[in-house]
């Protein structure tokens, strides 16, 4: 039985990845922070099937102890300060977790289990002020937030350890990926949760920032399969994971409100205070390499994803109303 260690198991991606690895017969261990106020809501359905172990990306000794105890075959480093707007208010902490946390993971692995395979969660936010459209593995990075800068550091240090110490370390440059398990602070879930609340009469207005921003949105359940595939290859490498389709926040609003029979323009108001200090206008991924070398394809398209999330939030809000 293969053993996998997942940092960030209580997050969106960690929970979907744990589902996938359990289906494939892995023994799954998830790292959770000692002082974590995080709920285990996303993994409540599998909590008795995974091992949870306390550790912290800020504490290298705890990482070494975990790797010694688990002796994993595969390590998936998904933990990070993952909400871009928060990185502006907490830039130093973002760097500690999202940049230096990767070095601590790699260093612990190099010392304790150098034969394990390592996956680093890189991000399309590294492209930032994009230098070409679409973006591929060879597109230069130009990050536009402390989060994007930290992810770029994490990405390059992974490449550096791979080339310097001959360890199996791959990075997935994942474009935006969403699901019903997405946090409500992210724009997709903010929209779908608000649509449900407006439809059910709990609110009337949704305040948005820049609705002309364009993103390449896919389904998190599809993207964790690409992570797993990267660690099944003979050689480590970096891969862009995306749908290759671009949609604006405006289109997201239209699809989500249309799905419940509402006109989005009657309920959405623009609030300039919600704009980012430096905007990332256009992210669109070229995942040709992943399709060719990993034989990976996204299965859920943007419209299906948006409707899936609205349907899920309708059920959650209806339950909320019933429980009152």
């Amino acid at each position: 039985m293969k053993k996998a260690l997942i940092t960030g198991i209580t997050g969106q991606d960690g929970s979907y990845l744990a589902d996938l690895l359990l289906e494939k017969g892995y023994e799954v261990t998830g790292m959770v922070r000692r002082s974590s106020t995080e709920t285990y809501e996303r993994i409540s359905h599998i909590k008795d099937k995974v091992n949870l172990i306390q550790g912290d990306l800020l504490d290298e000794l705890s990482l070494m102890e975990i790797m010694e105890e688990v002796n994993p075959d595969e390590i998936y480093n998904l933990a990070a300060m993952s909400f871009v707007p928060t990185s502006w208010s907490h830039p130093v902490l973002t760097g500690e977790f999202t940049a230096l946390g990767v070095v601590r993971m790699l260093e612990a692995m190099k010392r304790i289990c150098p034969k394990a395979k390592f996956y680093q969660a890189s991000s399309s936010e590294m492209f930032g002020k994009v230098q070409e459209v679409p973006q591929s593995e060879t597109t230069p990075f130009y990050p536009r937030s402390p989060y994007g800068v930290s992810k770029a550091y994490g990405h390059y240090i992974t490449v550096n350890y791979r080339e310097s110490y001959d360890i199996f370390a791959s990075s997935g440059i994942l474009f935006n990926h969403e699901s019903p398990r997405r946090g409500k602070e992210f724009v997709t879930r903010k929209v779908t949760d608000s649509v449900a609340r407006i439809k059910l009469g709990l609110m009337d207005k949704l305040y948005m920032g820049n609705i002309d921003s364009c993103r390449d949105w896919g389904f998190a359940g599809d993207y964790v399969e690409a992570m797993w595939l990267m660690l099944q290859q003979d050689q480590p490498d970096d891969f862009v994971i995306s749908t290759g389709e671009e949609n604006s926040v405006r289109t997201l609003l239209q699809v989500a409100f249309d799905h419940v029979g509402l006109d989005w323009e009657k309920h959405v108001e623009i609030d300039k205070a919600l704009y980012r200090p430096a905007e990332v206008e256009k992210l669109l991924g070229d995942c040709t390499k992943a399709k060719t070398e990993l034989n990976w394809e996204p299965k859920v398209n943007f419209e299906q994803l948006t409707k899936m999330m609205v349907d899920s939030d309708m059920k959650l809000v209806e339950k909320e109303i019933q429980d009152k």
Side-chain angles (χ1 to χ4, degrees), residues 6-66:
I6 304 172
T7 72
I9 193 170
T10 58
Q12 169 188 257
D13 292 8
S15 66
Y16 278 109
L17 179 61
D19 286 342
L20 178 76
L21 295 178
L22 288 170
E23 278 172 30
K24 294 186 178 296
Y26 280 64
E27 182 183 325
V28 177
T29 300
M31 188 181 92
V32 292
R33 289 184 68 200
R34 289 191 192 96
S35 58
S36 184
T37 50
E38 187 117 40
T39 65
Y40 298 127
E41 189 184 337
R42 294 185 184 96
I43 56 167
S44 57
H45 62 295
I46 53 168
K47 202 160 173 232
D48 58 340
K49 297 176 186 171
V50 299
N51 310 309
L52 296 180
I53 195 164
Q54 289 189 335
D56 198 313
L57 287 181
L58 303 186
D59 178 6
E60 191 182 328
L61 185 59
S62 75
L63 303 178
M64 289 167 69
E65 287 170 350
I66 286 170

Side-chain angles (χ1 to χ4, degrees), residues 70-83:
V70 176
N71 191 25
D73 300 293
E74 297 174 4
I75 299 166
Y76 295 87
N77 186 38
L78 310 185
M81 292 276 281
S82 62
F83 185 46

Side-chain angles (χ1 to χ4, degrees), residues 41 180-181 184 189 193 196-197 200 202 309-323:
E41 189 184 337
R181 298 182 195 174
K184 289 181 187 176
R189 185 75 196 288
D193 175 66
R197 291 177 188 282
L200 295 168
L202 297 185
M309 291 175 68
V310 171
D311 290 342
S312 171
D313 278 324
M314 285 292 289
K315 284 179 187 160
L316 287 173
V317 177
E318 281 167 359
K319 185 175 185 305
E320 196 180 294
I321 293 168
Q322 287 165 8
D323 290 347

